[in-house]
Amino acid sequence: MEIYRQYAKQRREFGRHPHFTDEGAEMLADIRPNEEHAKDHIQRNPVTTVTQVVQEMSEHEVNTNPVVFTSKVMHHVEGGWPKEVDYTEAEHVIRYRKKVEKDEEYIKAVAALGTSMEELVKANNAIDIYEEYFAGRNLDYSTEKPEARTIAGLMDPSGSQRGAQYVCWHPDGSSRLAVAHSILEFQKLQEGTSLSSYVWDVNNTTAPELELRPQSQLSSLNFNMKDGSLIGAGQYNGQFSFFDMRKGSAPVEATPIEHSHRDPIYDFAWLQSKTGTEAMTASTDGEVLWWDIRKLGEPTETLTLKERGGETILGAVCMEYNPAAGPTKFMVGTESGTIISCNRKAKNPQDRVGAAYPGHHGPVYGLVRNPFYPKYFLSIGDWTARIWNEDLRTPIIVSKYHSSYLTGGRWSPTRPAVFFSIRADGLLDIWDFFLKQNDPVLSLPVSSTSLTSFRIQENGRVAAVGARDGSTAILQLADSLVEMQPNEKQSLTSILERETSREKNLEKAMKEAKIRARKEASKGTEDAKKDANEQEIKQLEDDFFKLTSAS
C-alpha cells in the first residue's frame, strides 16, 4: 500500500515565511491488523546464543603529519590583449575598446550574457538571500551559564623561555593577532636568545604569518588604527620603532637611542590625529614622550611624571588613552601604585599633570576606561581590581583581596557591566556586575604559570591571554558574556551612581569630622591658656600680698 500526499505551490510563493496555525486532527491512513497473519505467529522460547566469529579489534594510535598552511603571493598583470596592443598605453587601450564595441559578435555576446544575468537578478529579487530573520530582537541570555573555551593555542616558535608580555588584535576585527615575546627580568636575557616577536592568524596556528625582528626585544606593540599594516613597538632598550607588514620583518625606522627612553617602554598608544602617525610612549624612567613616525629623530614633546607639588619622579607601567574622554587627556599607572591624570594641552605647563589617585599597594598593571561610561575607569594592581570615578580620589568599588597578584585586565567592549582580570596563579576571572559584585562569575584556569597579558577583540567574542611560559591562549566567550542584557546599562548606571554618592557622603563626613576635631583641639588650647593665665594672676596676687604684709 503506497501512501503519498501531493503538495502544490505557485512559484511566487517560494521563499516566503510559513505561517503556522492550530488545526484539528486529520486522518491520513487507517491500517488495521490482519487476523490471518496472527494465526501464523509462533512464540519463541528464550534462547541463549554465543558467537565467536566477530572480528578481533585492538586499540592503537597513529601519528599523522599535521596540515601546514602557508601564504604565497602571485604577481598578476593585465592580460588578454593582442600583441599589437600595449595595455600600459591608455591611447592603445581606448582605441582597441572602441573597435571591439563596434563588432557585431561583441554585441551578440553581451546580449546573451545579459539574458542569463537577468534571470539571476529576478531569482534574487524573488528570494532575499540576505534577509535577517531575527533582526531587531534582543535575546535574553541571563539564564545561560557563563562559559569560555579555548579554541587555539600559540607557542613561541623560537623555543626560548620568553613570556608573551603584550598582545594586540588587529583593529579591523579580523583574526590577526600580534604577540610581543620578551624577558623583562633584569639581566635575565641570555646570549643567543631570540629577539623576534610574531604576527599570527589564529585560524592557522601551525606557523606565524610574519616574524618581527627588532634590534632589541619588544615589551609592547600595537596596530595603527588608520593603517592596519603598520605596527608600533616599544623596545626593551627604550627605543620606539615601527614595522610595515608590506615591507618585511625588519623595522622601518627606530628612534635614536640618545633621544629615547632610558628604561623599557612598557606601554604606548597611537594618538587620534588626521595623519594617524603620532604616538606617545611611557616608561619606568618617569618620562612620557610624543613621536611622529614621519620624523623619529627626536620627540615632539616630553613630560616628566611628578605629582603636583612633588619632586619624586614616578615610573610608568601602563597607560590609558581614550579619545572619548578627550583627545588630549590620558592616564598613567605608576610603579608606586598611584594613578596620574594628565592633559597634553593644559593652559599652564604645571597643570599638564593633574589629579592623582593613590590607593594601590604595588605597581598598576592595568588601566582602562569603561567604553560606555568614560568617566569611570578600571585599575588593576596588587591583589585587587578597583573602579574609580575621575571626580573622586578614592575608588568607588574595590574587589576582594585575592590570594595571588593581579597582573592585568580589561573591560568588555560589548557589555558595560563585564570586565576581566588575570592573575599570577594562571587564572582568568570574569566579573559581571549585572549578576553579582562580590565574586567573579567565572574563574577559568588558563595556564600553570603566571598570566602576563590580556586583550579582547572589538566584537567581544574572542580574547587572547598571554602567559609567562610564552604561550598565548585564544578563548571564545559564551553569548551570555557578549550580548548586552535587557536593562543592563540602566542597572550599571544605578550601581555606579549609588557607589559614587556613598563615597561622596563618606568624604563629606570625614571632612566634617576633621573640622570638628580641629575645633575641639583649638578650644582645648584656649582653655589651657586661660587656666595658665589665671594661675599666673593668682601667683602675682600672692606675691603682692606677701610683700605688703612684710612691709
Side-chain angles (χ1 to χ4, degrees), residues 200-495:
W200 296 82
D201 186 347
V202 296
N203 295 326
N204 178 21
T205 60
T206 56
E209 183 178 340
L210 179 65
E211 179 181 359
L212 306 178
R213 300 172 183 171
Q215 298 298 323
S216 176
Q217 55 182 351
L218 300 184
S219 52
S220 60
L221 78 172
N222 279 306
F223 285 97
N224 187 283
M225 302 305 295
K226 286 194 173 183
D227 188 351
S229 300
L230 299 181
I231 302 177
Q235 299 185 170
Y236 183 78
N237 62 354
Q239 289 180 289
F240 173 70
S241 60
F242 74 96
F243 298 81
D244 192 337
M245 299 178 60
R246 297 162 294 192
K247 297 183 180 180
S249 301
V252 178
E253 192 176 357
T255 59
I257 191 105
E258 61 271 13
H259 296 299
S260 302
H261 290 280
R262 298 181 300 277
D263 283 351
I265 300 176
Y266 285 102
D267 204 357
F268 85 96
W270 292 101
L271 301 180
Q272 186 182 45
S273 61
K274 294 181 179 179
T275 59
T277 58
E278 299 181 9
M280 62 178 176
T281 58
S283 173
T284 50
D285 63 355
E287 299 284 339
V288 176
L289 305 180
W290 283 265
W291 308 91
D292 192 329
I293 62 175
R294 296 173 297 181
K295 185 181 178 181
L296 289 179
E298 58 182 2
T300 57
E301 292 184 44
T302 303
L303 174 65
T304 302
L305 296 176
K306 295 180 181 179
E307 291 190 40
R308 182 178 296 180
E311 295 296 331
T312 304
I313 298 178
L314 304 176
V317 180
C318 63
M319 177 184 294
E320 197 287 328
Y321 173 74
N322 189 346
T328 62
K329 294 182 178 180
F330 64 97
M331 305 182 76
V332 177
T334 64
E335 291 180 305
S336 63
T338 302
I339 303 169
I340 300 177
S341 176
C342 305
N343 191 345
R344 180 184 181 187
K345 301 296 183 182
K347 294 182 180 179
N348 300 322
Q350 59 271 20
D351 295 336
R352 297 180 69 186
V353 177
Y357 304 88
H360 282 287
H361 308 298
V364 180
Y365 289 114
L367 185 62
V368 61
R369 291 183 183 269
N370 190 300
F372 296 87
Y373 305 100
K375 190 176 182 179
Y376 298 91
F377 61 92
L378 169 72
S379 66
I380 303 290
D382 53 62
W383 301 270
T384 60
R386 306 182 180 218
I387 298 178
W388 307 70
N389 185 322
E390 63 179 11
D391 297 333
L392 301 177
R393 300 299 175 264
T394 55
I396 59 175
I397 299 177
V398 180
S399 71
K400 66 177 183 180
Y401 278 74
H402 295 78
S403 59
S404 61
Y405 222 71
L406 270 63
T407 56
R410 285 271 172 177
W411 285 102
S412 170
T414 57
R415 288 198 54 192
V418 174
F419 70 90
F420 308 84
S421 61
I422 56 176
R423 294 155 55 175
D425 58 0
L427 292 179
L428 167 66
D429 291 333
I430 303 178
W431 300 76
D432 189 349
F433 278 6
F434 189 64
L435 298 180
K436 57 181 178 179
Q437 302 179 29
N438 297 329
D439 297 295
V441 295
L442 178 63
S443 292
L444 184 68
V446 178
S447 175
S448 58
T449 60
S450 173
L451 301 182
T452 54
S453 56
F454 178 85
R455 190 68 67 91
I456 188 169
Q457 270 188 335
E458 290 299 322
N459 58 15
R461 294 190 177 275
V462 183
V465 186
R468 189 175 182 179
D469 60 357
S471 63
T472 304
I474 310 299
L475 307 178
Q476 185 174 13
L477 306 179
D479 291 335
S480 60
L481 298 173
V482 178
E483 301 295 337
M484 187 181 300
Q485 304 302 310
N487 301 323
E488 180 178 352
K489 294 185 68 174
Q490 294 83 345
S491 300
L492 182 63
T493 301
S494 61
I495 292 174

Side-chain angles (χ1 to χ4, degrees), residues 117-134:
M117 181 61 67
E118 185 179 1
E119 295 178 357
L120 297 175
V121 172
K122 288 181 178 179
N124 190 28
N125 291 335
I127 303 174
D128 187 5
I129 62 177
Y130 299 105
E131 181 180 0
E132 295 184 10
Y133 291 94
F134 303 101

Side-chain angles (χ1 to χ4, degrees), residues 515-529:
I515 293 174
R516 195 182 307 111
R518 194 180 301 114
K519 288 183 179 179
E520 292 178 356
S522 60
K523 183 179 179 180
T525 303
E526 292 177 357
D527 293 342
K529 289 182 179 179

Side-chain angles (χ1 to χ4, degrees), residues 9 68 147 165 189 196 375 414 448 502:
K9 194 174 185 180
V68 179
E147 292 180 344
Q165 304 294 347
L189 182 64
S196 299
K375 190 176 182 179
T414 57
S448 58
R502 183 178 65 85

